[in-house]
Amino acid sequence: MLETTAAPWWRTAVVYQVYIRSFADGNGDGIGDIAGLRARLPYLRELGVDAVWITPWYPSPMADGGYDISDYRGIDPAFGTLAEAEEMIAEAHSLGIRVVLDIVPNHTSDRHRWFEEALQAPPGSPERDRYVFRDGLGPDGAQPPNDWRSRFGGRAWTRVTEPDGSPGQWYLHLFAAEQPDLNWASREVRAEFESVLRFWFDRGVDGFRIDVAHGLAKDPALPDLGLADSMVFDDDRPREKHPHWDLDSVHEIYQTWRKIADSYAGDRLFVAEAHVADDRLPLYVRPDELHTAFNFSFLKSAWDAEELREVIDRGVTSLGAVGAPSTWVLSNHDVPRHATRYGRAQTCTHEHDVDPGASDRELGLRRARAAALLMLALPGSAYLYQGEELGLWEVEDLPDEMLADPTWERSGRTVRGRDGCRVPLPWSGSDSPFGFGPKGSKPWLPQPAGWESLTAQTQSGIPASTLELYRSALRLRQGQPGFRGESLRWLDMPKGVLGFERSPALRCVVNFSGEPLPLPKNWGVLLTSDRITGGVLPPDTTAWLWGGGASRP
């Protein structure tokens, strides 16, 4: 059962992200589903997570892996039924696991009832006012309203054909053309999403991850950004005032959402996906707005002691100033897995539209394990992406014909997109589908043969495995009093080493340098990311230490 704590659970929670299409397939059709997730809930309980975040499971044409939603109150038949979802939520709660859903408020699917009505309605109608429709430029309106670009490549505008067959207005889509942007100046749009929140809260959902939380508001003047039409992607350079990212008017929306969450019992949660400057992030988590927001600067940092210390310091200090905890993350469904990123010469390379170079898998995994213990020792909450506890690497050799990410086509097949981090998980067995689905089923993306050695079954019970490292770390994090509270005190360390104290009896030391580091002799070792001998911490290794006169936990 869910525990009641003095402080809200989300301040220190470890949340496990389930990309539902790729987690577990219960019916053998090659696509992950609610039945598969429900069957693996005991695994998540044994892992030791506090909550599960489920990517969109709503009805969708799947133009963008479910982030193009046609009905916010249903379940896509590929994943199951609403009744199955309610049963899964109840079972998760019985196992002490909270459930967080994705909500996608920036855009709908072009198959959403609202957008279909907009296409049949005339310009200036209430139906079109739910979205961002505008007349084109030039005498015949053949040019888009401005120069904005899509995050997935190409223009951010598509022209429609009016019901009489004539060329018509243009609609905005900051992502795929199948994802028309909503008009958040519309009272009807706001009321609809307030109703959607209540719909799922009423069914026991514990919170929401807000997709593109920084993108809802747009400057109604739609000013040009000064982009050349030859540009493939949008321009995300820092600007004093961007016309469609991080406008101040988004905050009144979240103030209303916070009131809705607070009207329910049980410390409901909002976590923002807000790609904004570090000094802007605290605005999203003020006491009357959202509860938490991902610290993407941590995810984007190089494997470097000085850079990471600065990012950690800035996050803890700036968010703490508004009473919010930091929210740490190393990987998710939108970026290459960190076990691969950390094996490259440029360890901060997290985008899919660059040539990252080759990755050393052994080095990447060693650093990924060290990064996991660093993250889990920090004050605040942490999010784990499915499969990172198995040490999975990014699959970078998927056949071109299998790629499903819209970036692949919209970039003119120059950017392969995010499918490499979305390959279905290996659970057991010696060949595909590795227990992802019933024997003989074919996963929607092919799994590498090399994952045979990384299945959950293979790693379970093996002390040196990555899975057992995560289980041990989460068990200690929950049971060790030194991890409670939100304090962090830096220790004086040699160059290339990070060390901090969470309590007088608990320390974390990370060796980024190329030299072995002798550990203090009067401190015991609780856990290390890799084997150590003779009290010496090897390069790219993290140690949790206990001491200060305290007895061993």
Side-chain angles (χ1 to χ4, degrees), residues 200-233:
W200 290 106
F201 279 145
D202 288 345
R203 280 156 182 77
V205 166
D206 299 282
F208 290 91
R209 175 262 191 186
I210 304 171
D211 187 62
V212 196
H214 60 302
L216 277 56
K218 280 82 176 177
D219 185 334
L222 302 180
D224 280 340
L225 280 164
L227 308 181
D229 195 50
S230 59
M231 288 187 66
V232 177
F233 297 102

Side-chain angles (χ1 to χ4, degrees), residues 115-125 127-128 133 159-170:
F115 194 72
E116 292 177 341
E117 291 172 354
L119 293 179
Q120 296 302 312
S125 63
E127 291 84 357
R128 289 207 174 176
F133 277 87
R159 196 175 193 185
V160 304
T161 299
E162 300 296 352
D164 64 3
S166 64
Q169 289 188 304
W170 297 71

Side-chain angles (χ1 to χ4, degrees), residues 508-527:
C508 176
V509 179
V510 191
N511 186 5
F512 296 83
S513 77
E515 301 296 330
L517 175 75
L519 293 172
K521 298 185 184 301
N522 58 331
W523 285 75
V525 175
L526 277 179
L527 186 64

Side-chain angles (χ1 to χ4, degrees), residues 321-405:
V322 294
S326 294
T327 301
W328 313 104
V329 59
L330 289 167
S331 283
N332 61 37
H333 65 294
D334 285 332
V335 299
R337 289 184 176 275
H338 62 279
T340 293
R341 299 199 317 268
Y342 288 152
R344 302 196 193 283
Q346 298 295 325
T347 54
C348 60
T349 302
H350 64 279
E351 297 288 354
H352 293 274
D353 59 344
V354 297
D355 181 4
S359 177
D360 180 330
R361 286 183 184 166
E362 182 179 347
L363 175 63
L365 180 57
R366 186 163 66 249
R367 289 173 171 172
R369 289 164 58 103
L373 290 199
L374 166 62
M375 178 177 73
L376 293 172
L378 293 171
S381 59
Y383 281 67
L384 312 180
Y385 180 49
Q386 63 178 43
E388 72 172 78
E389 79 280 9
L390 303 177
L392 300 187
W393 63 76
E394 183 83 357
V395 182
E396 299 179 297
D397 58 353
L398 291 169
D400 290 357
E401 65 272 14
M402 298 294 295
L403 298 180
D405 192 318

Side-chain angles (χ1 to χ4, degrees), residues 31-104:
I31 298 172
D33 49 34
I34 293 172
L37 169 57
R38 187 175 178 183
R40 298 294 181 179
L41 287 175
Y43 167 86
L44 296 178
R45 179 182 62 177
E46 185 178 3
L47 182 61
V49 299
D50 301 291
V52 57
W53 152 32
I54 305 169
T55 56
W57 57 6
Y58 318 104
S60 168
M62 298 296 165
D64 181 26
Y67 282 86
D68 49 316
I69 297 169
S70 57
D71 178 4
Y72 288 80
R73 296 178 180 83
I75 299 293
D76 194 279
F79 301 140
T81 66
L82 183 58
E84 286 181 285
E86 292 172 336
E87 292 167 359
M88 190 282 299
I89 293 168
E91 184 166 345
H93 286 172
S94 73
L95 294 174
I97 300 172
R98 290 176 168 84
V99 177
V100 176
L101 300 185
D102 237 309
I103 191 165
V104 184

Side-chain angles (χ1 to χ4, degrees), residues 20 95 152 165 172 248 268 292 302 320 334 376 392 400 428-429 456 469 471 524 543 551:
I20 191 165
L95 294 174
F152 291 160
L172 177 67
D248 287 338
R268 306 302 168 108
T292 59
D334 285 332
L376 293 172
L392 300 187
D400 290 357
S428 60
L469 174 70
R471 286 174 173 169
S551 58

